[in-house]
Amino acid sequence: MSKREDQYVVTQNACNLCTPLGASLAFKGVSGGITLLHGSQGCSTYIRRYMISHFKEPIDIASSNFSEEAAVFGGSSNLKAALKNVISQYSPSFIGVATTCLSETIGDDVPRLLREFERENPEITTKLAHVSTPAYRGTHADGFHAAVRAIVETFAEGGDKEDAVSIFSAMISPEDIRYLRRATESFGIKPIIIPDYSDTLDGSMWTEYHGIPEGGSTVEEISSVGRSLASVELGLISSEAKSAGGYLASRFGIERKRMRIPVGVEASDEFFNTLAMISGKPINKYYARERGRLIDAYTDGHKYIFEKRCAVYGEEDFVVSMAAFLCEIGIIPAVCVSGGRSGRLERVLREIIPTFDEMGIAVKDGGDYTDLEELSVLQEVDFFLGASKAYKSSRKLNKPLIRVGFPIHDRFGAARITSLGYSGTNALFDRIVNMVIETRQESSSVGYSYI
Amino acid sequence: MKTFLEERKNQIFQKDGNKFDMVCETKSVAGSVSQRACVFCGSRVVLYPIADALHIVHGPIGCAAYTWDIRGSLSSGVSLHRLSFSTDLKETDVIYGGEKKLYEALIYLIKKHSPKAAFVYATCIIGLIGDDVSAVCKKVTGETGIDVIPVHSEGFKGTKKDGYRAACDAINTLIGTSDTKGISKHSINILGEFNLAGEAWIIKDYYERMGVEVVSTMTGDGRVDDIRRAHGASLNVVQCSGSMTSLAKLMEERFGIPYIRVSYFGIEDMSEALYDVAEHFSDKPSIMKEATKIVREEVSSLYLKLKKYRQALEGKKAAIYVGGAFKAFSLIKALKYLGMRTVLAGSQTGNKQDYETLEELCDEGTIIVDDSNPTELSRCILEKDADLFIGGVKERPLAYKLGIGFCDHNHERKIALAGYVGMLNFAREVYSSVMSPVWKFTPRKQNNLRSDV
């Protein structure tokens, strides 16, 4: 069972966002960088609003602000005027230019326009990168990965190897990015995390306005990914031809280690073992103890959660990593839904979950929240795991929702939610166990004070 | 960092007794980070609260996803408006056209949800790929008997204001399509009230207590059948003048219904909104009598409740940046009532006349801006040392990041700020942010940490 009976006719409460949003998020990870969307004013304003409601931080995204004339005669002058105005107002060291469905449909040749702009304005030192992100092709996750690849393709330079590892993460929280950094540094090697929005989207307060907040990987650091020891790519969905790690492998012969997002013991082990192999150093005791505490927690909590049924949804890589983690702790990922349409979701899930068929997992890619709700009823799930947008279904079906991922619009502290590595997994595991305990406590007339 | 773009110098003024000539109602400058959205946004916010209509966004997924359940517009019953429907166009649709997909989507959704009408929002690329949305709508109307109304809201075809107009045009096609039998001579339509946090209910209750019949509210807690007979009302009462004045004008032309502009924010404007309606119905003196009674009762009970807040907030400084200028007028007055001074006032879509009124209302030294951006706004609020920023979700982090209190006065608010009870809520909202002890830790106030950063 992997499809609703009625075939696709209309998207009802979409479980994905448009490609420029993903690109805008990725560009937030470049130091001194700002995104310019080549399209209507609404694209940038809506995306800003959507991201601000999650991160609770100011997020500036510029727009080339198409007019009717531009739509007819081409957006060249709008784009160039926008670049100039962004440069004069923000003094950015980097501008990530992402297209929209509008500029793509009229066929603006943005790479050519950017080259022209650089030629016409030789005094300008701001670096430019372009990514093609029409909303009718792919989802926000595709836009995210395409922007990461665009950054790397634009700036990576080869040369003598450096003691660094390139890490291409998925759409993870700022707190999880900080974890990846600490974990990698514990091996004595330098992590170049792309994108690193851990400070730009979760920073401290200001005395004056910073259109471009401090933080992110610098263009120099990004250029050095071409000389790193290896690349670690978190996510199994995007193809080598489209990923930044794939580019480094083919262009500079840099070894590409690909794994799912490290949630759970197995996936975290793979991440730490890979870093140990790349650095030639053993895993730091600190992390070994973290691992020990996580397994201890697993045993303490296992019984509460065994064979509970979960609906997990979101970006395909998110779904894959969470489903594998749930299996690891004895929960059945009974429903797996993504708005993504890579065509690989079910295959990847089958590869990492040997008991896929026995568990009767329902998978739906290219799905929406209506699919999620219908499948969750059919599959009799006990709880939801993912973004806050399943709240309506959770409320309707009276099944709890564990909020993790993007977006979280109805809770506080989304930027600091952790699920990666041993300690992040432990935090998530605690939340799941407590959710089950709370449900039991609340639904009992006894009023247990020990459970 | 350079603060002001040269192109914007005629959109920022400081009241200083000199000539004041705001350049407004223009497209945003390319590359500025405008707080505005687009034509589609304008249409979507106006039509969104019509709860028994189907709203389907024709285009790629973004526009529908970002506006799913975006407003706090409540419904007293059916809530179709809180669902997000999109034709979710893909590359092949862009090449071969999306008409068939739109047709199938409409047929499916109308069968599934039995709406009273359907609005089809055309987004950016629809015009470019040549879909004949009107023809599809007509066909579906013919087949289902449900009015399917195209909303021409391609994002790039103007500003948010053009979107308002497109929405008004869409509503206009419904008005006058039903019987007006039984509607009282003393009746109104409430326009430009979107029932955020139940505000339309508060306002409607006042008017009904006065003995005035409310035929329809457009569009808060809106119902298609009410809109169809809206032309039976004797007066249109227009709030949020930016969004729905054009509909009031259309109704004046078509049906000879006069309109008045009102605001429900703050004691002064709220009372005026009741008195103005009562005055219009001067042939029935009991209406004015009731209005006076409501105002007296509400104001006297409010006065005592507001005392605590006024004492605390006296002398504090506020910055206002909102969508429509009309709201800014009321806020300045309401803040004044709380003893607060407005040091910055601006809007996304004000017109020349609006800005002249704003200037009259403001004290010397107040900065007035049109279609501003985060850089300008921050510079101004810091320069003026504001204690409070009133705006929407995009302005909130800006205020907080700089250590300034904030009050959400936009579409997403969950607390009613209209009416007399709204004034009390507003005071509480302002108080609970401005008076919080946390500001003392912010770098703007102090920095005692011994740190190397």
Side-chain angles (χ1 to χ4, degrees), chain B residues 130-152:
Chain B
D131 273 6
D132 189 345
V133 175
S134 300
V136 176
C137 290
K138 214 167 155 185
K139 188 175 171 203
V140 177
T141 301
E143 288 175 20
T144 61
I146 299 294
D147 278 328
V148 181
I149 304 157
V151 186
H152 299 288

Side-chain angles (χ1 to χ4, degrees), chain B residues 77-112:
Chain B
V78 57
S79 290
L80 258 182
H81 66 305
R82 294 184 62 192
L83 301 173
S84 165
F85 302 121
S86 168
T87 48
D88 198 354
L89 297 188
K90 301 293 178 198
E91 197 148 19
T92 46
D93 305 315
V94 173
I95 297 165
Y96 300 110
E99 290 179 15
K100 188 167 170 274
K101 217 169 173 182
L102 175 62
Y103 169 80
E104 283 173 1
L106 280 166
I107 295 290
Y108 172 82
L109 290 172
I110 287 172
K111 195 174 155 210
K112 184 173 173 186

